Amino acid sequence: MSLPATESVGKIPVFDAPAGGHLRADMLRAYREAGVMVLRNFASLAACKRLRDRAGELVREFDPDHVKSVFSTTKQNQLTDRYFIESGDKVRFFLEANAFDESGKLRQSKENSLNKMGHAMHDIDPVFDEFSHSAELDRLAKALGIADPVVIQSMYLFKPPRIGAEVVCHQDSTYIYTEPESCIGFWFALEDATIENGCMYFIPGGHRGPLRLRNHRLEGGSLRTDVLSDEPFDEERKVAAEVNAGSLVIFDGRAPHMSGENRSPKSRHAYSLHVIDRRCHYPADNWLQRGPELPLRGLV
Ligand code: FE2
């Protein structure tokens, strides 16, 4: 028996993480209704700290002047596109738009200047690899209908204090596109995420709407956007996903979501994995491509 659609309108279902990643029928039902689900205490605080510490080490090795030069040249679009496009099998750093002051100096520490790090930590870095692969995650993905799950990308999201930018409403299948669509997002709060420090918002049930865009499609070395539907997102129905560190937010690739800016003195670190089904067609003109030296792997 399925719940009437109205019961989940306006709500993001929240559960304690089930042992071993074994989702109960009521959890699956709630996820299918809302297109999103929170599993509290999925990761231990120690595991969250291990990931934050490792990110800190990687940041210390990163030279922001290199990225600054990439982003300040006159051939800006071409070079910034390449820096992004070529990050699918690397660990690259993306600064907040407001990271530098008028004199070209970082306003804050390196770590507090970054928007994100991506997109292959889960395959390249041993600490991220360990966090990103487990029987629990594999079981979750399979229970949610992905028969042969592979991790297509990882992102470390800094949402730094004071300058963390807003992310406007979007669907992740827009960027992680397969035919048929199969993308699911796994978003781990590594710190408490609140309205104040820029938590995510979802439109529960909004995943039943159409995919609006296919973004970052490669064409002649540039990134293109295809408009698939002009149906607006019903943003008045957005609900804040305030979650504690260790929570896992799972959401459908069609689920409309966004996050607020962070003007607060607290960072809002999170780590995300995007999983697709290997059985689905992965177009050759998707922005994110892997070479043969780093094949896609499953969740275990
Ligand atoms: Fe997203």
Side-chain angles (χ1 to χ4, degrees):
M1 190 189 99
S2 66
L3 286 172
T6 49
E7 282 203 23
S8 63
V9 168
K11 284 190 192 151
I12 298 174
V14 180
F15 302 97
D16 289 324
H22 292 279
L23 291 174
R24 297 188 310 265
D26 60 314
M27 296 171 165
L28 282 169
R29 213 156 45 219
Y31 173 80
R32 289 196 189 109
E33 287 294 327
V36 54
M37 163 171 68
V38 176
L39 299 181
R40 282 187 298 228
N41 300 316
F42 181 86
S44 69
L45 293 182
C48 293
K49 182 174 186 311
R50 213 156 35 239
L51 221 55
R52 290 203 315 268
D53 288 347
R54 181 59 188 145
E57 287 172 12
L58 294 170
V59 169
R60 277 193 282 285
E61 295 163 13
F62 151 69
D63 176 7
D65 284 339
H66 168 67
V67 176
K68 190 177 154 195
S69 69
V70 167
F71 282 78
S72 61
T73 166
T74 49
K75 292 180 183 170
Q76 194 179 6
N77 283 337
Q78 211 179 329
L79 277 171
T80 54
D81 280 2
R82 268 186 48 200
Y83 185 79
F84 176 74
I85 292 164
E86 292 169 358
S87 67
D89 51 8
K90 298 181 182 64
V91 178
R92 284 195 164 168
F93 298 85
F94 299 87
L95 290 158
E96 283 289 353
N98 204 15
F100 294 102
D101 65 17
E102 299 73 24
S103 66
K105 296 256 185 314
L106 286 179
R107 294 176 197 275
Q108 308 189 136
S109 68
K110 271 198 289 186
E111 179 171 303
N112 283 344
S113 301
L114 286 161
N115 176 282
K116 68 181 167 189
M117 173 169 80
H119 289 91
M121 285 85 71
H122 62 291
D123 280 330
I124 291 174
D125 184 85
V127 178
F128 280 89
D129 183 338
E130 187 190 356
F131 187 96
S132 309
H133 298 91
S134 66
E136 285 85 355
L137 285 174
D138 189 57
R139 205 168 280 131
L140 287 173
K142 286 175 177 164
L144 298 174
I146 305 191
D148 190 358
V150 287
V151 186
I152 186 76
Q153 72 166 18
S154 51
M155 292 193 289
Y156 192 97
L157 307 158
F158 291 86
K159 191 72 91 172
R162 292 171 286 274
I163 61 167
E166 173 191 14
V167 177
V168 299
C169 193
H170 66 281
Q171 299 160 301
D172 285 355
S173 285
T174 281
Y175 304 96
I176 310 289
Y177 181 76
T178 63
E179 294 169 347
E181 288 163 47
S182 63
C183 170
I184 291 184
F186 290 85
W187 189 98
F188 304 88
L190 303 179
E191 297 179 303
D192 294 346
T194 64
I195 290 172
E196 192 193 16
N197 70 355
C199 69
M200 286 199 289
Y201 293 77
F202 286 86
I203 302 172
H207 64 303
R208 289 191 209 91
L211 185 63
R212 296 345 190 252
L213 302 173
R214 182 179 165 201
N215 217 333
H216 296 347
R217 186 173 60 73
L218 284 174
E219 196 176 279
S222 298
L223 296 165
R224 306 279 181 215
T225 298
D226 300 329
V227 178
L228 307 178
S229 164
D230 59 5
E231 186 176 316
F233 293 121
D234 189 1
E235 290 188 45
E236 288 187 0
R237 292 182 51 242
K238 73 178 182 186
V239 177
E242 292 193 288
V243 294
N244 289 333
S247 293
L248 165 60
V249 186
I250 307 177
F251 53 101
D252 188 279
R254 283 240 188 139
H257 62 285
M258 65 216 86
S259 64
E261 59 183 3
N262 185 7
R263 292 274 182 93
S264 83
K266 287 183 184 168
S267 57
R268 193 228 63 191
H269 288 200
Y271 177 60
S272 76
L273 296 172
H274 283 93
V275 175
I276 57 170
D277 198 324
R278 200 197 294 269
R279 301 170 309 169
C280 296
H281 172 61
Y282 192 79
D285 58 358
N286 276 356
W287 72 273
L288 207 173
Q289 297 291 336
R290 285 286 184 94
E293 67 286 350
L294 195 66
L296 292 175
R297 296 157 63 207
L299 280 161
V300 276

